[in-house]
Amino acid sequence: MKSFTYERVTDPRTACAAAAARPDSRFISGGTNLIDLMRLEIERPAHLIDVSRLPLTAIEELPQGQLRIGASARNSDTAANPIVRTRYPVLSEALLAGASGQLRNKASVGGNLLQRTRCHYFYDTASDCNKRQAGAGCAALHGANRNHAILGATESCIATHPSDMAVALTALGATMSLLSPESTTRTVPIGEFYRLPGTTPHVENNLAANELITAVTVPPPPSGRQRYRKVRDRASYEFALVSVAVILATEADTITDARVAFGGVAHMPWRSTEAEAALTGRPAIPSTYQAAADIAMESAVGRGENDFKIDLARNTLRRTLADVAAMTDRRPS
Ligand code: SF4
């Protein structure tokens, strides 16, 4: 590991100013991904700015009914928060599906959203990887790509985004608060935060230089029932082959509102507005779920070993829609 210097900051503006003063620095919170990357010298910051003690741990309701989650809130605390559990169960389920209890105790909301792909070629510094080194090529394209993307990928990169929480937040239509070194805060919908790989897979999101995520705000709970389902090779401590966040409202067996977002299938959480349109106004019956699953995967492309993920994603959505339609509403009236 390359040697580095370290400082701990106690307020967000100081954090941004410290980052602006040191272009070779990185923010660190739980460090559950960054430390691994530093050990492998994939990330080589000369200076770490510890933002884990910032006063950004509150999870609070706002006057208009939104929920504001501080960026330093631990994943365990967010998953166990009573408001999250009762009004946003899809978010709680997604958090509890991620990593292990120990990691969730360390990992922060902001860090979770910025974690990097788990493409094994990205972590193997002997392999070609455009994300690690622009122009190097992509070893996964014709290699072991069982876990890789089926939507939105390019010849430059077929990696997937690893966060479960980001998938639930995408279905919920969350926004992110980003603080700049000039002390201005901008708000970005999570659907506009992440980037597809294009020809620049090393640029993964639209965070500007030295900006700090200070909070995530979730709109008032949507009507309907919620579910996060994650399909993976083992029951815990594993990333998704495919996951899906579903929010479904029905009235007299007709679907009145639908939200669908996939994880494990693309370089970013993948909201399927096509599936949502195919569901809304339709009867809550298996043929509707099948039509939504088919249209959601209409543009999917397999790269060999991951061809099976197209059917897996269809079946995961179809099954989850049926389950959610059969659920009793768990939110307090
Ligand atoms: Fe690198 Fe992306 Fe290719 Fe993986 S899929 S080797 S991260 S360029």
Side-chain angles (χ1 to χ4, degrees):
M1 183 189 282
K2 181 186 167 188
S3 60
F4 57 89
T5 52
Y6 169 91
E7 73 177 299
R8 181 181 290 162
V9 289
T10 52
D11 80 88
R13 285 186 173 81
T14 307
C16 289
R22 290 288 302 262
D24 53 359
S25 64
R26 288 292 310 269
F27 294 129
I28 186 168
S29 186
T32 57
N33 187 209
L34 181 59
I35 297 293
D36 289 344
L37 292 165
M38 288 174 64
R39 283 191 179 126
L40 293 166
E41 298 202 359
I42 295 166
E43 298 265 9
R44 304 179 82 242
H47 184 63
L48 289 182
I49 301 164
D50 185 344
V51 294
S52 64
R53 312 285 174 95
L54 293 179
L56 298 173
T57 56
I59 301 174
E60 55 195 354
E61 260 188 299
L62 300 181
Q64 306 298 323
Q66 309 100 317
L67 186 69
R68 189 176 196 275
I69 304 170
S72 299
R74 298 291 151 194
N75 286 0
S76 300
D77 295 334
T78 307
N81 180 274
I83 300 174
V84 174
R85 288 183 60 192
T86 55
R87 299 189 187 169
Y88 304 97
V90 68
L91 178 55
S92 183
E93 289 169 8
L95 282 160
L96 293 174
S100 65
Q102 282 176 315
L103 287 167
R104 291 194 295 271
N105 288 342
K106 281 297 287 178
S108 66
V109 165
N112 182 302
L113 296 172
L114 293 177
Q115 65 180 300
R116 305 199 70 188
T117 184
R118 294 322 198 270
C119 170
H120 37 271
Y121 296 111
F122 177 65
Y123 289 78
D124 174 10
T125 53
S127 295
D128 294 335
C129 175
N130 286 322
K131 190 182 280 295
R132 227 185 320 101
Q133 185 186 348
C138 171
L141 205 54
H142 303 292
N145 54 33
R146 183 172 182 275
N147 296 324
H148 287 69
I150 52 174
L151 289 165
T154 64
E155 301 283 300
S156 295
C157 181
I158 57 171
T160 57
H161 193 272
S163 170
D164 293 292
M165 178 173 66
V167 179
L169 290 173
T170 297
L172 289 164
T175 57
M176 299 162 73
S177 299
L178 310 177
L179 179 68
S180 77
E182 292 75 38
S183 295
T184 57
T185 297
R186 66 184 177 117
T187 303
V188 178
I190 193 166
E192 297 170 19
F193 181 73
Y194 293 109
R195 296 168 64 124
L196 288 173
T199 56
T200 55
H202 57 289
V203 185
E204 296 168 354
N205 56 56
N206 293 314
L207 199 63
N210 308 317
E211 270 187 322
L212 178 71
I213 301 174
T214 54
V216 173
T217 301
V218 190
S223 59
R225 298 167 293 269
Q226 309 176 12
R227 177 87 198 269
Y228 186 76
R229 169 169 274 145
K230 180 175 181 178
V231 182
R232 47 191 158 170
D233 282 330
R234 57 185 179 192
S236 70
Y237 197 27
E238 182 59 284
F239 293 93
L241 289 167
V242 166
S243 68
V244 65
V246 166
I247 305 170
L248 200 69
T250 57
E251 205 171 300
D253 290 332
T254 296
I255 298 166
T256 53
D257 192 24
R259 315 266 189 97
V260 173
F262 287 97
V265 298
H267 202 253
M268 57 189 280
W270 189 269
R271 179 116 179 227
S272 179
T273 52
E274 297 85 359
E276 293 171 1
L279 291 162
T280 306
R282 306 289 300 170
I285 56 176
S287 60
T288 301
Y289 311 147
Q290 184 67 57
D294 288 343
I295 201 164
M297 290 298 124
E298 206 168 48
S299 61
V301 176
R303 304 280 174 171
E305 289 188 6
N306 69 348
D307 291 350
F308 76 100
K309 287 176 77 168
I310 301 173
D311 270 342
L312 183 65
R314 279 195 199 101
N315 291 338
T316 304
L317 177 58
R318 198 172 44 77
R319 171 77 185 273
T320 307
L321 287 166
D323 287 354
V324 175
M327 279 165 61
T328 307
D329 198 334
R330 284 184 285 173
R331 287 189 293 117
S333 55

